[in-house]
Amino acid sequence: MTPAELAALSARAYRHMDPWGEADFAETLAHPLALLVTGQGAFVLGRVVADEAEILALATDPAGQRRGLGRAVLTAFEAQAQARGAAQVFLEVAEANAPARGFYAACGYAVTGRRRGYYARPEGGRDDALLMVRALPLGHAPPAANPASDH
């Protein structure tokens, strides 16, 4: 997916925060530690630094939600991050985004902290970010799904 395609998907999917723009995606993808995993109607963008992976953005087209697309790209992201040396994956999610929090919890992520007022809400005001972490299994990577890796 191109930065423009990622931005368009992000704009359709993000309801609890302002979506990333094309320039945001282009800048992040230009970084050598970036890791992008895409699939049909979904993507995960993050980075791997030393033994940690960070998810910066994950989006699934609303028309394809609840069909396993997000889980497939997340599983592939975790496998590729582990192949780059990551032992854990962390992320931030808006506290008000109950569907995303539930998704990450179902995928094995646990809340480990909070950043007060971290996100600007589209309708105004601020929302706390919950920090979530998942340790990757030792000795083997999680099974990879079929999404294509772009980066």
Side-chain angles (χ1 to χ4, degrees), residues 47-141:
R47 60 183 161 216
V48 179
V49 179
D51 66 346
E52 292 185 336
E54 178 184 17
I55 294 173
L56 301 171
L58 182 151
T60 302
D61 193 305
Q65 290 177 350
R66 299 208 161 291
R67 296 186 184 161
L69 303 175
R71 187 179 291 261
V73 292
L74 178 59
T75 298
F77 176 88
E78 292 169 343
Q80 291 182 37
Q82 191 170 37
R84 290 189 184 188
Q88 65 180 352
V89 179
F90 66 97
L91 59 95
E92 294 153 345
V93 63
E95 184 173 33
N97 191 346
R101 289 188 358 251
F103 167 76
Y104 289 121
C107 292
Y109 288 77
V111 175
T112 60
R114 170 185 306 269
R115 291 190 176 151
R116 299 209 180 275
Y118 186 77
Y119 289 112
R121 293 183 185 158
E123 70 279 0
R126 307 290 301 176
D127 194 13
D128 291 354
L130 299 179
L131 306 173
M132 299 185 81
V133 174
R134 177 178 186 264
L136 297 174
L138 296 176
H140 65 282

Side-chain angles (χ1 to χ4, degrees), residues 7-63:
L9 177 52
S10 167
R12 291 191 304 275
Y14 288 5
R15 291 174 229 141
H16 294 87
M17 60 182 276
D18 290 329
W20 284 37
E22 183 177 351
D24 299 315
F25 283 107
E27 181 180 329
T28 302
L29 288 168
H31 196 281
L33 299 177
L35 175 58
L36 173 66
V37 177
T38 64
Q40 180 182 1
F43 73 84
V44 179
L45 175 60
R47 60 183 161 216
V48 179
V49 179
D51 66 346
E52 292 185 336
E54 178 184 17
I55 294 173
L56 301 171
L58 182 151
T60 302
D61 193 305

